[in-house]
Amino acid sequence: MKYIYLIFCLFISTAFTINAQEIVSPNKKIKVIVSKKESNGKSFGQVYFKILYKNKSEYIEIMPSSPLGILRDDQQFTDNLKLVSESKAKEVNQKYEMISGKQKWCDNLGTEKIFKYVNSNNEPLNIVFRVYNDGVAFRYQFTNKSDSLVNVIDESTTYVFPSATNRWVQQYTESYEDFFPFSDSGKGDNKKQEWGFPALFKVNNNPVWILISEANISENNCAAKLNNSKNPNEYKVSYASPRDSFKQTGVKTTLPWNSQWHTLIIGGLSDVVESTLITDVSEPNTLEETSWIKPGAVAWIYWAYNRGSKDYQKAVEFTDLAVEMKWPYVLIDWEWDVMTNGGNITDAVNYAKSKGIKPMIWYNSGTSWLEPTPNDRLLTSEKRAEEFAWLNKIGIYGIKVDFFAGDQQDMMKYCIDILKDAAKYKIMVNFHGATVPRGWARTYPNLMTTEAVYGAEWYNNKPILTNKAAVHNATLPFTRNVIGSMDYTPVTFTNSQHPHITSYAHELALSVVFESGFQHFADRPEGYKSLPPEPKEFLKNVPVSWDNTKLVDGYPGEKVIMARRKGNQWYIGGINGKDEKQTLKINFDFLGTGNFKLKLIKDGENDKSFAVEVIKIKKGDVLNVECLPRGGFVAVLEK
């Protein structure tokens, strides 16, 4: 029997051999194991990876063996790969500066290994892994050279999770404008089972979170999405589907070629929220001179009246609002090309400049919904050159470009071309109706913000945000806003087409809880002018770009307390995502030494009033703040 058992074990070993290699993060908390499963002793097979996380003194498996691989229309690199070589572990160590975002100085610090494979036709494929203290990134490389176009059509990349995993994932839509509902099943309400980035998971019963997205998309990439239609716990990467005006599947490119970085931010919730992994793996800044790039608050006309800037008098009114609130910018929205009632676009721009306000204007990208005008001024490099030269002449500082058609390769190239050409004319950019951030803010720092969020403008469109806004607002800091600036258009006190029932203090807190290089404050002028002195003064001074960010406390959909530092001042924003009263607890462990004065603006007796306190605080103190249902608070700390 012992002899038979040994023969059986030998057979199993021959039929299913796993050759494993390890990559470990600099702090040793995250370990990636790359392996190849071979059958019947053959040297070719499927490559897999799994992720281990050090919880206290031992590693726990947080992502079981998950398939890797990529397909071209002329070659497959999936279940037919042979390992040729494995590089030595190499340190990635780079410090860089961000002009806008959650953190000014960032550390791109990780461990890299390159695994070289060939397929059964002896065609090469590299899989590059980087393991960071707060996550994992990997990408595919075709290293051979070819001037002929090849078509990269699909991936077998799949993220596998234990069945008990909790998840907050948005059903895929080209605009990325939807909710991130909680689910423990992985099943949506449509048959496609397609999900957009970023996707948040709490792994099984472990205190570990994973936020999946991607970064460093170039003109030779399309954006991807996730699909778990075959198994609700297995999320496969799939490429943007063809559309009527762009029939291509995947990417057409010459070789050599790099895929985008597939990113997994890993750790506690604070590790996820504070991570800069998306920009860490993206290409460095390409602009030599950047002093003209200045984040700032913006007075914005659309939300209040559910229309654009056709009325010159409204453009004047919002310019005057920017003056009163000390905001540097005013956005002149759609229909400015047919402006009437006392002036045209040049008059509106000149009025803003005469008041010391920097004007910005809106454009239709010309690729999707064509009714709002102007709708065809940016589609070619020649048109952009003519338009941007005119903007320089009249004195425009930034553009908001809307209505992109999807995530296909041509849209990625179009966005990048706009950023490159705008930079030549020192014009800042806001993308609306576009894909989520994928690291471009580092490479092209004139990209100030991106919509790709179910934001406050939806109060104009449907009644659904009224009852869901609080829980949605308390989810976005853990999902969409992690990966880049988010043009939610927050802080509204009056009502638009549909009412909001978040408290005034909750709305005020969104100026800190949400990060955006251009923070478009959306309310009508009387909404801000009628504020009590303390919240009004707070909105005049709150920064929009930050030196540091800390998640003090929070849980998706329930609560958020965010602390952000600018210079020597800390700004704190807290919101209650629940429909019942909640006490939010501020732990001041993030402070340095010394005593601080804290000015707290919180919910008053009702949801339309404020209460103000001044308190002395030091490192290690804990402050309990009582919040109304859907309530919140802000605070400023200074020595």
Side-chain angles (χ1 to χ4, degrees):
M1 287 296 295
K2 183 183 290 186
Y3 176 76
I4 293 172
Y5 176 74
L6 289 172
I7 292 293
F8 175 75
C9 289
L10 180 62
F11 171 77
I12 291 296
S13 177
T14 303
F16 195 71
T17 303
I18 300 180
N19 300 315
Q21 294 82 26
E22 292 185 356
I23 318 105
V24 182
S25 63
N27 65 2
K28 312 299 182 188
K29 288 196 75 171
I30 301 174
K31 181 187 293 186
V32 172
I33 298 175
V34 180
S35 60
K36 187 164 65 69
K37 296 182 180 180
E38 304 166 353
S39 60
N40 300 322
K42 294 181 180 178
S43 58
F44 292 91
Q46 176 98 50
V47 178
Y48 293 77
F49 77 104
K50 65 179 177 179
I51 302 176
L52 308 179
Y53 188 83
K54 199 168 190 178
N55 184 27
K56 297 179 180 178
S57 60
E58 63 179 6
Y59 284 105
I60 56 175
E61 184 178 88
I62 59 171
M63 182 170 286
S65 289
S66 300
L68 296 169
I70 194 164
L71 293 91
R72 303 196 317 237
D73 62 355
D74 65 326
Q75 301 281 339
Q76 68 151 306
F77 300 83
T78 53
D79 57 355
N80 60 340
L81 295 176
K82 177 181 179 180
L83 181 64
V84 175
S85 67
E86 168 194 355
S87 73
K88 293 182 179 179
K90 181 183 76 172
E91 181 185 66
V92 176
N93 192 348
Q94 182 184 47
K95 196 175 187 70
Y96 63 95
E97 182 180 7
M98 292 292 292
I99 295 174
S100 62
K102 70 180 81 172
Q103 187 170 315
K104 183 175 183 180
W105 288 103
C106 305
D107 292 313
N108 179 18
L109 176 64
T111 304
E112 178 180 284
K113 271 191 178 184
I114 301 175
F115 301 93
K116 297 186 177 183
Y117 300 92
V118 293
N119 69 5
S120 53
N121 295 324
N122 209 37
E123 290 289 313
L125 171 72
N126 288 357
I127 304 179
V128 183
F129 267 92
R130 288 185 184 175
V131 185
Y132 291 81
N133 293 338
D134 61 354
V136 174
F138 64 91
R139 69 179 179 183
Y140 301 102
Q141 295 178 330
F142 294 127
T143 56
N144 52 334
K145 294 183 179 181
S146 172
D147 292 330
S148 300
L149 291 177
V150 300
N151 191 184
V152 185
I153 57 174
D154 198 8
E155 295 187 20
S156 54
T157 308
T158 304
Y159 303 106
V160 178
F161 288 97
S163 59
T165 294
N166 293 336
R167 52 209 95 185
W168 291 259
V169 189
Q170 182 183 105
Q171 292 194 142
Y172 177 75
T173 173
E174 288 182 350
S175 66
Y176 294 85
E177 295 177 48
D178 210 332
F179 297 110
F180 289 83
F182 167 78
S183 171
D184 57 6
S185 69
K187 296 179 181 179
D189 56 11
N190 66 52
K191 294 181 180 180
K192 283 188 174 182
Q193 288 292 116
E194 289 185 336
W195 311 95
F197 292 124
L200 179 66
F201 302 86
K202 185 178 184 295
V203 183
N204 214 339
N205 296 314
N206 299 312
V208 184
W209 299 75
I210 300 178
L211 185 75
I212 297 176
S213 196
E214 57 183 9
N216 201 45
I217 284 184
S218 74
E219 299 95 328
N220 290 321
N221 303 123
C222 66
K225 53 192 172 185
L226 298 172
N227 186 302
N228 68 340
S229 57
K230 291 185 177 180
N231 184 320
N233 299 309
E234 297 181 2
Y235 291 80
K236 179 189 173 299
V237 171
S238 60
Y239 290 160
S241 304
R243 65 178 194 276
D244 290 343
S245 59
F246 192 74
K247 300 293 186 182
Q248 174 183 305
T249 299
V251 175
K252 290 187 177 179
T253 179
T254 57
L255 304 179
W257 175 82
N258 293 320
S259 77
Q260 71 275 42
W261 284 102
H262 302 64
T263 61
L264 303 94
I265 301 173
I266 300 170
L269 269 180
S270 60
D271 297 313
V272 171
V273 170
E274 298 164 20
S275 174
T276 59
L277 183 61
I278 298 298
T279 50
D280 290 349
V281 299
S282 295
E283 292 297 316
N285 171 23
T286 60
L287 308 182
E288 293 181 1
E289 203 274 310
T290 59
S291 62
W292 52 275
I293 302 174
K294 297 184 183 298
V298 187
W300 183 51
I301 191 173
Y302 169 80
W303 186 88
Y305 303 104
N306 195 28
R307 66 176 304 108
S309 298
K310 186 176 181 178
D311 187 339
Y312 170 78
Q313 299 304 326
K314 293 298 180 186
V316 167
E317 182 183 6
F318 277 80
T319 295
D320 292 342
L321 172 65
V323 173
E324 180 168 345
M325 297 301 294
K326 298 181 180 178
W327 299 335
Y329 299 106
V330 63
L331 177 70
I332 303 170
D333 217 285
W334 61 290
E335 297 182 313
W336 57 258
D337 57 323
V338 290
M339 186 180 288
T340 57
N341 194 22
N344 58 26
I345 181 60
T346 304
D347 298 321
V349 168
N350 288 336
Y351 181 81
K353 291 191 297 181
S354 74
K355 297 292 184 178
I357 302 301
K358 298 175 180 178
M360 302 188 291
I361 59 176
W362 179 98
Y363 284 93
N364 188 324
S365 77
T367 63
S368 182
W369 185 28
L370 297 179
E371 180 183 349
T373 62
N375 62 18
D376 183 16
R377 300 196 183 188
L378 305 181
L379 276 172
T380 66
S381 59
E382 292 78 15
K383 288 183 178 182
R384 289 191 293 272
E386 180 180 354
E387 195 72 8
F388 293 163
W390 175 67
L391 296 184
N392 279 173
K393 181 180 178 180
I394 67 172
I396 294 292
Y397 288 81
I399 58 174
K400 172 182 174 182
V401 189
D402 210 341
F403 303 130
F404 291 88
D407 282 336
Q408 296 81 8
Q409 182 182 5
D410 66 328
M411 287 298 100
M412 301 300 101
K413 183 178 186 305
Y414 186 25
C415 289
I416 292 170
D417 286 345
I418 289 173
L419 292 171
K420 287 180 176 179
D421 288 346
K424 295 174 187 175
Y425 294 86
K426 297 185 177 180
I427 293 172
M428 295 172 284
V429 178
N430 169 9
F431 283 143
H432 246 235
T435 194
V436 293
R438 287 174 159 92
W440 289 336
R442 181 183 178 192
T443 314
Y444 311 102
N446 57 321
L447 176 59
M448 308 307 294
T449 190
T450 303
E451 186 187 23
V453 66
Y454 204 100
E457 73 171 47
W458 277 91
Y459 284 116
N460 285 322
N461 303 332
K462 292 181 180 180
I464 190 172
L465 196 58
T466 296
N467 291 319
K468 289 191 174 182
V471 64
H472 180 54
N473 294 346
T475 304
L476 291 173
F478 306 102
T479 51
R480 165 61 183 85
N481 212 182
V482 173
I483 62 172
S485 285
M486 181 178 74
D487 194 18
Y488 178 99
T489 61
V491 188
T492 57
F493 304 105
T494 67
N495 288 325
S496 185
Q497 309 304 301
H498 302 283
H500 68 268
I501 56 174
T502 49
S503 78
Y504 278 17
H506 179 115
E507 290 295 316
L508 187 66
L510 298 182
S511 64
V512 177
V513 172
F514 294 161
E515 179 273 313
S516 181
F518 282 154
Q519 191 74 284
H520 287 80
F521 292 123
D523 208 347
R524 49 180 55 84
E526 58 264 32
Y528 298 116
K529 291 180 180 181
S530 62
L531 287 172
E534 291 85 357
K536 185 175 182 180
E537 195 66 23
F538 179 88
L539 281 178
K540 288 181 179 180
N541 296 292
V542 63
V544 305
S545 62
W546 305 98
D547 296 335
N548 199 4
T549 290
K550 296 289 183 185
L551 176 67
V552 178
D553 193 16
Y555 194 89
E558 296 184 5
K559 60 183 176 180
V560 182
I561 304 177
M562 198 79 75
R564 302 189 191 268
R565 181 176 61 82
K566 185 72 169 182
N568 295 322
Q569 286 187 315
W570 282 97
Y571 290 77
I572 305 173
I575 58 173
N576 176 10
K578 295 183 176 182
D579 291 330
E580 59 190 39
K581 290 182 178 180
Q582 186 175 187
T583 300
L584 300 187
K585 183 180 294 186
I586 312 173
N587 188 318
F588 291 95
D589 283 345
F590 62 88
L591 291 178
T593 58
N595 294 316
F596 293 79
K597 181 180 76 172
L598 179 141
K599 188 169 189 176
L600 177 69
I601 306 172
K602 61 179 183 177
D603 290 320
E605 293 181 356
N606 57 61
D607 62 358
K608 291 179 173 56
S609 65
F610 298 93
V612 180
E613 297 180 32
V614 178
I615 308 166
K616 290 184 178 179
I617 293 292
K618 65 180 184 300
K619 181 181 178 68
D621 284 351
V622 176
L623 178 66
N624 292 326
V625 182
E626 301 293 330
C627 292
L628 294 175
R630 304 171 298 281
F633 70 88
V634 295
V636 182
L637 276 162
E638 56 186 6
K639 285 192 174 182

